[in-house]
């Protein structure tokens, strides 16, 4: 089993959304050999998903109510086969501390589409912003899962 860790700042708005969407996409697309988790670079461990993340995922039929924030640490980084961050800044922070993992750290949009991009933080914004952010993450995550499935089938 391979491990993919999604990373954002607090693990309450973006990376947790990516995680639950990846689980859904992998079930739908038949990806079997990957396990998904999420963490935050500056998380408050145990914090729940933000209210608007909960709502946005409920609208898609997904439940984030059991999610609790996890702090990104050495064991998660070293145990990951792939780390996808929401911004270039997150990627840079990881690589500054762990330069040896440069071959497995990308931004989500970079890995999905092969070009730079980032998922802006919706924290504290209205539900429409969370819906847009969730839609952006969902599209990219499905692209990532398709790529992983194609690699798995080779």
């Amino acid at each position: 089993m391979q491990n993919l860790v999604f990373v954002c700042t607090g693990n309450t708005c973006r990376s947790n959304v990516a995680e639950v969407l990846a689980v859904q996409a992998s079930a739908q697309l038949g990806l079997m050999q990957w396990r998904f988790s999420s963490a935050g670079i500056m998380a408050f461990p145990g914090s729940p998903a933000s209210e608007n993340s909960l709502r946005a995922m409920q609208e898609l039929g997904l439940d984030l109510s059991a999610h609790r924030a996890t702090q990104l640490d050495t064991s998660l980084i070293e145990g990951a086969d792939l780390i996808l961050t929401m911004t270039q800044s997150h990627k840079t922070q990881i690589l500054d501390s762990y330069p040896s993992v440069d071959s497995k750290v990308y931004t989500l949009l970079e890995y999905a589409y092969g070009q730079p991009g980032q998922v802006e933080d919706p924290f504290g914004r209205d539900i429409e912003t969370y819906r847009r952010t969730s839609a952006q993450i969902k599209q990219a995550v499905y692209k990532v899962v398709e790529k992983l499935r194609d690699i798995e089938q080779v």
Side-chain angles (χ1 to χ4, degrees), residues 102-128:
D102 67 328
S103 65
K104 64 181 181 180
V105 182
Y106 303 85
T107 68
L108 172 64
L109 302 183
E110 174 186 26
Y111 193 85
Y113 305 116
Q115 58 191 15
Q118 50 189 23
V119 178
E120 296 299 329
D121 193 351
F123 184 76
R125 312 253 330 260
D126 64 11
I127 186 63
E128 286 305 319

Side-chain angles (χ1 to χ4, degrees), residues 2-5 72-83 94 97-101 104-105:
Q2 294 185 286
N3 294 305
L4 188 160
V5 179
L72 185 67
D73 62 17
T74 302
S75 66
L76 282 171
I77 290 170
E78 290 177 352
D81 296 289
L82 182 61
I83 301 168
I94 292 168
S97 297
Y98 303 92
S100 65
V101 300
K104 64 181 181 180
V105 182

Side-chain angles (χ1 to χ4, degrees), residues 3 6 18 25 41 54 58 62 66 74 76 83 90 93 98 105 111 116 136 138 143-144:
N3 294 305
F6 293 101
I41 287 180
L54 286 165
Q58 284 172 346
L62 299 171
T74 302
L76 282 171
I83 301 168
H90 297 134
Q93 288 176 62
Y98 303 92
V105 182
Y111 193 85
Q136 180 187 27
K138 181 177 181 177
K143 188 73 163 168
V144 166

Side-chain angles (χ1 to χ4, degrees), residues 6 14-23 36 86 108 137 141:
F6 293 101
R14 292 173 287 175
S15 57
N16 56 331
V17 165
E19 177 186 358
V20 71
L21 288 167
V23 169
F36 304 99
M86 297 298 126
L108 172 64
I137 292 170
V141 162

Side-chain angles (χ1 to χ4, degrees), residues 79-80 129 142 147:
T129 302
Y142 270 74
K147 283 183 158 187

